[in-house]
Amino acid sequence: MSLHPNADPHCIFCKIVAGQIPSRKVYEDDDIYAFHDIAPWAPVHFLLIPKQHIPSMAQVTPEHERLLGRMMVLAPKLALELGCRPYPEGGFRIIANTGADGAQEVHHLHLHVMGGPRPWARG
Ligand code: 5GP
Ligand code: ZN
């Protein structure tokens, strides 16, 4: 599959979206892709990303409102489908690491969605 028109050819998440690097898919539509984290911190740990290359939350603009809104609406739905327990006894964490101080390692905007019974490996 070819890279998205906005892709960064050096970005590993753009390559995952394009199917050039394998991933365990959780969800996909025209604009959004979700897949299991390769090094999970929690029993449920997946990443929700826009297909277009946006480096981080620091680059979002009003034109991304609908896209980010859709990601935030999808996150709880997918969390439950993947085994997170219902609120309030269960629940999940949604994290968007941003920049060096935010401990961001992959510079393609992503939401971590983590949940499941504790203890977790980290966090
Ligand atoms: P960050 O620190 O940038 O918020 O987190 C990046 C996340 O991407 C990490 O949790 C890491 O385990 C995950 N990750 C990095 N490379 C890959 C990969 O090739 N495949 C998958 N599935 N996850 C990855
Ligand atoms: Zn990218």
Side-chain angles (χ1 to χ4, degrees):
M1 207 194 296
S2 59
L3 288 167
H4 189 277
N6 279 353
D8 172 345
H10 304 294
C11 170
I12 61 171
F13 285 0
C14 284
K15 290 180 184 172
I16 283 176
V17 167
Q20 295 174 355
I21 293 176
S23 64
R24 289 172 56 218
K25 179 163 90 174
V26 165
Y27 173 85
E28 179 172 21
D29 65 31
D30 286 348
D31 303 313
I32 295 170
Y33 189 74
F35 56 104
H36 292 279
D37 197 293
I38 204 166
W41 295 16
V44 176
H45 185 175
F46 63 94
L47 304 173
L48 199 48
I49 70 175
K51 286 189 169 178
Q52 64 176 278
H53 182 82
I54 303 169
S56 80
M57 288 296 293
Q59 286 77 31
V60 301
T61 64
E63 75 186 40
H64 300 124
E65 276 176 5
R66 183 174 155 73
L67 174 65
L68 291 174
R70 290 198 58 240
M71 288 169 64
M72 291 301 273
V73 170
L74 263 171
K77 179 175 180 285
L78 296 176
L80 282 178
E81 287 175 10
L82 288 169
C84 290
R85 296 174 297 170
Y87 174 94
E89 293 79 12
F92 46 82
R93 296 175 74 182
I94 299 176
I95 297 175
N97 295 328
T98 305
D101 286 346
Q104 184 180 7
E105 290 178 359
V106 177
H107 289 262
H108 180 128
L109 191 158
H110 53 279
L111 301 180
H112 292 259
V113 184
M114 291 175 242
R118 288 178 178 272
W120 294 359
R122 293 164 73 182

